[in-house]
Amino acid sequence: MAKQTFSTLETFLIFLLLMMTAITVALLSLLFITTGTIENHKDSGLPATQGPTVTAGTSTPMTSTPMTSTPVSSTPAPTLFTNFTGYHIGVGRADCTGQVADINLMGYSKSGQNARGLLTRLFSRAFVLAEPDGSNRMVFVSIDIGMVSQRMRLEVLKRLQSKYGSLYRRDNVILSGTHTHSGPAGFFQYTVFVIASEGFSNRTFEHMVTGIMKSIEVAHTNLKPGKLFINKGNVDGAQINRSPFSYLQNPQSERARYSSNTDKEMTVLKMVDLNGDELGLISWFAIHPVSMNNTNHLINSDNMGYASYLFEQEKNKGYLPGQGPFVAAFASSNLGDVSPNTRGPRCINTGESCDNANSTCPIGGSTTCIAMGPGRDMLDSTQIIGRTMYQVAKELYASASQEVTGPLISAHQWVNMTNVTVSLNSTHTAKTCKPALGYSFAAGTIDGFGSLNFTQGTTVSDPFWDTIRDQILGKPSEEIKECHKPKPVLIHTGELSKPHPWHPDIVDVQIITLGSLAITAIPGEFTTMSGRRFREAVKAEFATYGMQNMTVVISGLCNVYTHYITTYEEYQVQRYEAASTIYGPHTLSAYIQLFRVLAKAIATGEVVEVTFVGANPKNSAENRTHQTFLTVEKYESISTTWQIVHNDASWETRFNWHKGLLGRSNATIEWHIPDTAQPGIYRIRYFGHNRKQDFLKPAVILPFESTSSTFEVVTT
């Protein structure tokens, strides 16, 4: 690639823009410090010293119950009937629109793209599903927003616990954003997203959380016996791959197995009561809701929301939009490289195709390479794409005959995504990285280009931009640059913590199964091939442990946002999606490995495993403050105390220590649950000793301890 040069005027304008950015960051820092509107990572409800926690429910289920104190009294659940086959089903919908003016739109990160009115209202659509006896249940919520922030999820879980006790928890609640790029911003706690949102809006945050809660409450109240049916079919003419050059880097033998470079399959889950009366549906399909482009200033739910609108209007005859009992959610899937702008990228000044490795035009570069939808304008395109999805969903819904039956099981895990060791083969391992964004991140995509003269496919850093970055944000470490290769690091977000962390370190991953249907909650955007590899691996893991022919659904933009997840091969050419794969080239392999653990936990139901950020166990030989490395404890409600049932001398427990780099280590504790375990609420505690070495002072050994999330062991 030819070296970029800038005129004196361009250099001055770039300098001015960067100074404005620096001033904005400084003002935001002052705002955060003085008002405290953004929580520190350690105050966000995440484990401060705890790594991932795996919990699962099975035929002798164990499901996570996130209690951090004495269990609270809960709102009574509706009386449930138990003498039927199927599930209790409740559906609910609530408005979550919030501000429609003077708020930045979330998705394109375009300065000045603020809301100036309303095209369609935004809704939260909730589905509560429970086994006949009500013992195991789940909540799936599809929300007309860009993505779910971690702060939002934690607040919803907090309010659910306050209202319902341990009924709805982090392991059995999935919050999924449709990924509309025309919803309000301002509901994140991480600095990158706060800057992109031009601040934090408590008004927007509260509207969203309140709407989500209301939709769940309606679904909870409306629970009734019913049946679920699943169906699948292809949607044609609605999508293209916006990074085909990246897709072609995947092995030819792998690509040959598929007829398209996008996933065309739609999965529909149909819900009816025992009389056959219609209740609702969830559809999963891979498409970016960016039919409304970055010139739009009206709040709306884009093509996915329009499909919901059409379906609900058909089923709720006589009701106004947003009203009526039938709820239809069109939820996101592996949409990372999938665009609805089906006419493809063209140079707007010449009309020629710019479908090349860098998405650039001979005149104007990347800023004139734009993809267009099938309609006369973006409003027409939104309706065309939305109607296409609606028509296929309508046909699949009408013909759905395969009933979903079987136990409802959930599994959840907290993961430190910056430090996952990935097994590449029997002899080699690799690791994920601290978060970082590459140069091509700033280029944007053919659906919405960046504001500066960056291009996709950049694999070499530029001294000019590196100098500017170093002056404002400091230099990235050699460790992070080496880990992310061949990505040239533009912003080393994982090493920035002022005014608050710039990107998440701790991420939650989650699976909920309904019989042979597995809903996987993905905290980001899988590309097409990433999704295919992921589904195949998780399905194979279920099969290994006796759960054959599982349907694995990818539900995207769930619970916390971590940008994109490309394949290793796609990562090498560093288009936008790869530059936005923040945990490095082995991110997909890490997620596959983690979700296979969850699948195994669901299929076997025999082990609770907790990984803590730990210390070298040899320190405990020098300081015997603690007499055990671990305890398994059961909550006694009568005495409101925790009773120790196992320690590290118990046959049912395992303590594994994993040495890391730079003095870091992890401790994994396993509890192989015996048949004699009593039903109830449990937790695992870890005890260790840390060596502290101050300059010119002798080392001291200090005791510490940490506690897992609580979980429930239930026998049937």
Side-chain angles (χ1 to χ4, degrees):
M1 182 185 300
K3 181 173 175 57
Q4 229 170 246
T5 60
F6 299 92
S7 68
T8 303
L9 177 60
E10 287 177 320
T11 302
F12 173 74
L13 290 174
I14 291 168
F15 176 77
L16 185 62
L17 176 62
L18 289 169
M19 290 302 99
M20 290 173 63
T21 302
I23 292 170
T24 300
V25 173
L27 289 175
L28 286 171
S29 302
L30 180 61
L31 175 66
F32 302 156
I33 292 168
T34 56
T35 65
T37 57
I38 307 298
E39 313 111 322
N40 186 285
H41 185 77
K42 292 184 179 179
D43 299 326
S44 64
L46 298 176
T49 58
Q50 180 188 326
T53 307
V54 178
T55 58
T58 63
S59 55
T60 54
M62 30 168 198
T63 56
S64 165
T65 307
M67 296 185 296
T68 56
S69 58
T70 302
V72 296
S73 59
S74 61
T75 301
T79 302
L80 302 180
F81 300 96
T82 58
N83 57 342
F84 73 98
T85 58
Y87 302 93
H88 289 282
I89 303 171
V91 301
R93 178 183 53 248
D95 187 283
C96 63
T97 306
Q99 289 180 252
V100 299
D102 293 330
I103 187 75
N104 192 242
L105 300 187
M106 187 67 205
Y108 291 112
S109 299
K110 181 182 178 182
S111 179
Q113 192 191 9
N114 299 322
R116 299 177 189 167
L118 181 71
L119 173 60
T120 62
R121 300 199 74 84
L122 308 180
F123 294 99
S124 173
R125 295 175 171 89
F127 304 84
V128 175
L129 304 172
E131 291 182 347
D133 64 359
S135 60
N136 295 321
R137 63 178 61 203
M138 65 165 284
V139 180
F140 180 85
V141 188
S142 179
I143 316 152
D144 289 333
I145 56 177
M147 61 283 288
V148 175
S149 75
Q150 201 165 56
R151 179 174 187 170
M152 174 188 293
R153 172 169 162 81
L154 293 171
E155 181 62 26
V156 169
L157 290 173
K158 177 182 176 182
R159 296 187 189 186
L160 285 173
Q161 183 181 357
S162 177
K163 187 173 182 66
Y164 299 109
S166 61
L167 201 59
Y168 302 116
R169 313 171 301 271
R170 67 188 63 170
D171 70 294
N172 68 1
V173 174
I174 295 177
L175 305 182
S176 174
T178 62
H179 204 38
T180 174
H181 283 42
S182 297
F187 52 95
F188 288 86
Q189 78 267 40
Y190 292 106
T191 302
V192 162
F193 308 122
V194 174
I195 293 174
S197 303
E198 299 183 358
F200 176 83
S201 170
N202 193 64
R203 182 184 291 112
T204 294
F205 180 80
E206 187 62 30
H207 272 292
M208 289 180 174
V209 171
T210 300
I212 294 168
M213 282 296 300
K214 179 63 176 177
S215 68
I216 296 174
E217 290 164 5
V218 172
H220 173 89
T221 303
N222 290 340
L223 278 169
K224 61 178 65 175
K227 291 183 179 294
L228 302 177
F229 298 90
I230 193 170
N231 204 0
K232 305 173 189 176
N234 285 350
V235 180
D236 293 317
Q239 8 137 273
I240 62 168
N241 192 308
R242 70 184 188 190
S243 285
F245 183 78
S246 296
Y247 182 87
L248 288 172
Q249 306 310 305
N250 296 304
Q252 195 281 330
S253 58
E254 182 179 34
R255 290 185 280 113
R257 296 167 52 197
Y258 305 100
S259 60
S260 172
N261 61 4
T262 61
D263 274 343
K264 295 183 178 296
E265 187 174 79
M266 173 184 283
T267 301
V268 167
L269 189 64
K270 176 180 181 179
M271 306 173 190
V272 298
D273 67 17
L274 294 184
N275 296 320
D277 293 334
E278 299 173 309
L279 301 176
L281 76 87
I282 307 174
S283 163
W284 287 277
F285 180 61
I287 192 169
H288 250 90
V290 290
S291 292
M292 299 293 292
N293 63 42
N294 64 7
T295 67
N296 167 60
H297 291 277
L298 298 179
I299 294 290
N300 70 86
S301 53
D302 211 280
N303 49 47
M304 300 283 269
Y306 188 67
S308 290
Y309 168 86
L310 291 175
F311 214 118
E312 290 179 349
Q313 285 296 96
E314 180 196 336
K315 297 298 182 182
N316 294 320
K317 298 292 188 183
Y319 288 91
L320 290 172
Q323 300 176 10
F326 189 92
V327 178
F330 281 73
S332 57
S333 189
N334 55 318
L335 48 69
D337 54 359
V338 185
S339 171
N341 295 313
T342 52
R343 282 196 280 167
R346 295 199 170 272
C347 300
I348 56 175
N349 47 10
T350 66
E352 297 177 357
S353 173
C354 50
D355 189 5
N356 53 57
N358 308 112
S359 294
T360 57
C361 295
I363 302 174
S366 60
T367 61
T368 56
C369 179
I370 300 174
M372 298 291 184
R376 299 181 305 273
D377 53 30
M378 60 182 171
L379 290 165
D380 191 32
S381 292
T382 299
Q383 291 183 291
I384 291 172
I385 299 300
R387 188 177 295 109
T388 300
M389 291 188 287
Y390 153 72
Q391 291 287 359
V392 175
K394 180 181 177 180
E395 295 167 7
L396 294 175
Y397 179 89
S399 60
S401 59
Q402 180 184 340
E403 186 174 0
V404 177
T405 60
L408 191 159
I409 310 168
S410 61
H412 172 272
Q413 183 177 20
W414 287 121
V415 180
N416 182 351
M417 276 301 296
T418 72
N419 190 33
V420 178
T421 299
V422 178
S423 297
L424 301 179
N425 51 47
S426 59
T427 58
H428 291 79
T429 62
K431 293 181 74 69
T432 53
C433 313
K434 293 179 182 178
L437 292 165
Y439 268 67
S440 297
F441 162 78
T445 74
I446 59 173
D447 294 325
F449 56 83
S451 58
L452 295 174
N453 195 25
F454 287 89
T455 58
Q456 296 194 66
T458 300
T459 56
V460 179
S461 61
D462 188 303
F464 174 81
W465 289 113
D466 284 355
T467 300
I468 296 294
R469 176 203 59 212
D470 295 348
Q471 291 298 315
I472 296 175
L473 301 175
K475 293 182 179 181
S477 69
E478 290 301 318
E479 175 191 358
I480 202 169
K481 290 193 293 184
E482 186 66 27
C483 189
H484 279 270
K485 284 183 176 179
K487 176 197 293 179
V489 172
L490 180 64
I491 309 176
H492 46 303
T493 55
E495 297 178 328
L496 302 175
S497 58
K498 303 296 183 183
H500 293 277
W502 283 48
H503 265 146
D505 290 344
I506 305 298
V507 173
D508 48 354
V509 293
Q510 180 182 17
I511 299 179
I512 296 179
T513 59
L514 292 153
S516 60
L517 172 64
I519 303 172
T520 60
I522 307 302
E525 305 178 50
F526 276 154
T527 60
T528 297
M529 194 63 85
S530 292
R532 289 168 173 168
R533 290 184 190 178
F534 173 86
R535 282 193 300 261
E536 191 173 71
V538 173
K539 182 177 181 178
E541 189 72 14
F542 277 121
T544 297
Y545 295 95
M547 296 180 70
Q548 304 290 335
N549 301 316
M550 294 290 289
T551 296
V552 179
V553 166
I554 292 173
S555 188
L557 292 307
C558 290
N559 302 337
V560 56
Y561 186 58
T562 64
H563 295 266
Y564 286 74
I565 303 102
T566 66
T567 68
Y568 178 84
E569 293 85 355
E570 292 164 352
Y571 188 90
Q572 304 307 306
V573 293
Q574 282 297 298
R575 281 179 59 85
Y576 173 81
E577 294 82 10
S580 304
T581 299
I582 62 174
Y583 300 115
H586 301 288
T587 301
L588 173 60
S589 296
Y591 276 123
I592 289 175
Q593 183 171 290
L594 292 165
F595 275 88
R596 288 178 64 185
V597 170
L598 296 186
K600 179 182 177 181
I602 287 176
T604 61
E606 298 175 347
V607 181
V608 173
E609 179 184 285
V610 184
T611 300
F612 298 88
V613 176
N616 196 315
K618 72 180 182 182
N619 298 333
S620 298
E622 301 179 37
N623 184 326
R624 297 290 294 172
T625 304
H626 303 307
Q627 301 303 310
T628 181
F629 287 112
L630 66 93
T631 57
V632 178
E633 301 176 1
K634 182 177 182 294
Y635 183 77
E636 301 295 341
S637 57
I638 297 177
S639 61
T640 66
T641 59
W642 291 93
Q643 299 296 321
I644 297 175
V645 295
H646 296 287
N647 60 15
D648 62 8
S650 301
W651 182 261
E652 294 84 0
T653 62
R654 312 283 191 275
F655 175 77
N656 300 288
W657 178 67
H658 317 281
K659 187 174 184 178
L661 299 174
L662 303 175
R664 299 175 181 176
S665 63
N666 291 332
T668 299
I669 295 171
E670 300 174 14
W671 177 32
H672 294 251
I673 303 176
D675 294 338
T676 55
Q678 295 298 309
I681 304 299
Y682 288 81
R683 71 183 185 187
I684 293 176
R685 300 179 74 195
Y686 164 51
F687 304 91
H689 294 85
N690 181 48
R691 177 182 292 273
K692 183 178 180 181
Q693 179 76 66
D694 290 332
F695 184 64
L696 297 179
K697 291 184 179 180
V700 293
I701 305 296
L702 301 175
F704 68 88
E705 59 185 75
S706 187
T707 306
S708 76
S709 303
T710 59
F711 55 92
E712 186 177 7
V713 173
V714 181
T715 58
T716 58

